[in-house]
Amino acid sequence: MDLLQMRWRDALFAHWPVDPAVVSARLPEGLRVATYDGDAWLGVVGFVMADIRPCGAPLGLSFPELNLRTYVTRPGSDDHGVYFFSLDADDRLGVSVARRFFELPYYRAELRVDRTEGDDGPELTLRHRRTHPDVPPARFVGTYRPVGPESVPEAGSLEAFLTENYRFYTDGGGRLYYGDIDHPPWPLAPAEAEIESNTLFAANGFEAPEGDPIVHYSPGTEVTAGPLRRV
């Protein structure tokens, strides 16, 4: 049963490979880190959540979001999904609803995505500053742009591992929950990014990964989301 529908637009995917033990130490009981070619991955993912609303409702909310996430499985299961360390959004109502009904670690933030069109495609600048009270501060400023043609990730590829995830897990009050989403495959383009500031790792208790991230851009996809369920 779908509860919400929305469109995710102008997505930035910036991913760093990390030691699986680093990520595993931060996961709740009942989840284990998923790896690709022996690496765990930490991703900074930003986009505009456009027209998010209950299914069938005529009007919805639109606001930018930025999250820090990794990829997980459950022991004894083939389920593959996302585990969020933090999600920041520029909408007080949206943050309140997500925290209350989806047990997700959403935080209020000042967030803006500026888009300019060039001869070679769009260029986007994402500016973020967390404003939620009584949590570690965080800031992100980055500019990103596609540098190649869009394509659908091939099954089994790293791109599919990082982006084609249709389940998320969350830890609420010591209990593990999951939610399912559905969307067409992301149209992905290789991208480049200049990251001016990024303290999301430190705010979530990680050292900043070494090296440059693998970066992808997507113009977006239509998404529906179902209810939260206890594992």
Side-chain angles (χ1 to χ4, degrees), residues 45-63:
V45 179
F47 50 84
V48 176
M49 295 185 74
D51 200 22
I52 178 172
R53 64 195 190 276
C55 289
L59 299 173
L61 301 171
S62 296
F63 50 83

Side-chain angles (χ1 to χ4, degrees), residues 61-75:
L61 301 171
S62 296
F63 50 83
E65 178 191 298
L66 183 70
N67 63 67
L68 179 67
R69 68 199 226 180
T70 194
Y71 305 98
V72 296
T73 62
R74 287 197 298 125

Side-chain angles (χ1 to χ4, degrees), residues 18-98:
V18 295
D19 184 338
V22 171
V23 175
S24 182
R26 298 291 312 281
L27 295 178
E29 185 177 355
L31 294 179
R32 65 183 181 189
V33 63
T35 61
Y36 191 93
D37 284 346
D39 290 319
W41 293 80
L42 288 174
V44 173
V45 179
F47 50 84
V48 176
M49 295 185 74
D51 200 22
I52 178 172
R53 64 195 190 276
C55 289
L59 299 173
L61 301 171
S62 296
F63 50 83
E65 178 191 298
L66 183 70
N67 63 67
L68 179 67
R69 68 199 226 180
T70 194
Y71 305 98
V72 296
T73 62
R74 287 197 298 125
S77 170
D78 293 331
D79 292 344
H80 184 275
V82 174
Y83 181 77
F84 294 106
F85 293 104
S86 65
L87 306 99
D88 290 11
D90 194 356
D91 186 86
R92 181 182 293 270
L93 176 60
V95 168
S96 297
V97 169

Side-chain angles (χ1 to χ4, degrees), residues 10 41 51 58 82 84-85 102 116 134 136 138 144 146 163 169 173 179 205-206 214 229:
D10 286 328
W41 293 80
D51 200 22
V82 174
F84 294 106
F85 293 104
F102 290 92
T116 57
D134 303 321
Y144 55 104
T163 63
Y169 292 94
F206 292 105
I214 294 175
R229 295 181 171 93

Side-chain angles (χ1 to χ4, degrees), residues 103-121:
E103 298 286 351
L104 287 166
Y106 262 97
Y107 305 115
R108 295 197 300 274
E110 294 175 352
L111 258 165
R112 192 174 79 198
V113 177
D114 296 320
R115 176 188 175 112
T116 57
E117 293 291 343
D119 294 338
D120 298 323

